Structure formats: structure tokens, C-alpha cells
Amino acid sequence: CLSSWFLFYLTPLLKLGATKILDSKDVGPPSKCDRAKSCYDSVHALWVEEVERTRQVNATKRTKHAEALAKCGDDAKKIAKLGSFTPAPPNLAVVLLHAFGKWKIVWAISLYVLSSLLQF
């Protein structure tokens, strides 16, 4: 556990990088779960679900807004108070949170903040 925090497993790679320019054979391929294809597939599937969910929510809200406008009749004050319907956009943050998990995102932000603090 401690070695993964301090990245001791990278020491041989860093030594090799100090002596020569690294190429793809030296680094090796990324793990299957870290490849772009698997990340894209999971995010895309969740994005399609989020767009459909948002479309359904907007349709429901649009219907309720139309019903509220119909109840107002010709009363300009009530119509102005209701305003026009603005649909909600799909939420990319929710999709990414579900695709990668809360703790991976928290861990990535923590490492980013730590690296920023260590640069001073």
C-alpha cells in the first residue's frame, strides 16, 4: 500500500528514463480498464441514458408548464410570473461520476491538489 502511495514501483522506469529516451516498449500497454475504448464505452452508455432521462424529465416539466399556462387564461401577470419553459440540459458531471466512481474522482482531485501544493 505504501509503495503505491510513493510510486516506488516506478523507480526502475525512472532510472531507465534517465539513461535513454523511453518508447512504448519500455512503458508497456495500459491496463484493460484504463484504455480509452473501455472508458469511452462506459461513458457513452451512461450519456445516452442521461440524455433520455433528461428528455423524459423535460417532457414532463413542459406538460406541467403548459397546463399551468392554460389555467392562467388571459391573466398577463400570472403568465409573466410563470415565464417561458427552459429545458434542463443533460448533466455531464453526473455521468462522469457514475462512470468512474466517486472515489476515483476524489483521489484524482486529491493528487492534483497535492501536486499543485508541492510545486511551490
Side-chain angles (χ1 to χ4, degrees), residues 2-4 7 14 19 29 33 43-44 46 50 55-56 59 62-63 77 79 85 87-88 90 98 101 104 111 115:
L2 194 59
S3 68
S4 66
L7 305 174
L14 293 174
T19 59
C33 68
V43 170
H44 180 70
L46 289 170
E50 176 69 12
R55 190 174 290 136
Q56 291 172 355
R62 183 176 286 118
T63 304
K77 286 184 181 180
I79 292 173
F85 174 74
H98 286 120
K104 263 191 176 178
L111 289 177
S115 69

Side-chain angles (χ1 to χ4, degrees), residues 7 17 60 65 70 77 81-82 93 95 108:
L7 305 174
T60 304
H65 186 266
K77 286 184 181 180
K81 188 176 180 181
L82 279 176
V95 170

Side-chain angles (χ1 to χ4, degrees), residues 53-81:
R53 185 195 66 79
T54 305
R55 190 174 290 136
Q56 291 172 355
V57 167
N58 284 336
T60 304
K61 287 183 179 181
R62 183 176 286 118
T63 304
K64 288 181 180 180
H65 186 266
E67 290 171 358
L69 282 176
K71 286 181 183 178
C72 291
D74 293 334
D75 191 2
K77 286 184 181 180
K78 288 182 180 178
I79 292 173
K81 188 176 180 181

Side-chain angles (χ1 to χ4, degrees), residues 46-47 50 53 90-101 105:
L46 289 170
W47 179 253
E50 176 69 12
R53 185 195 66 79
N91 194 340
L92 181 60
V94 169
V95 170
L96 293 176
L97 188 67
H98 286 120
F100 296 110
I105 292 174

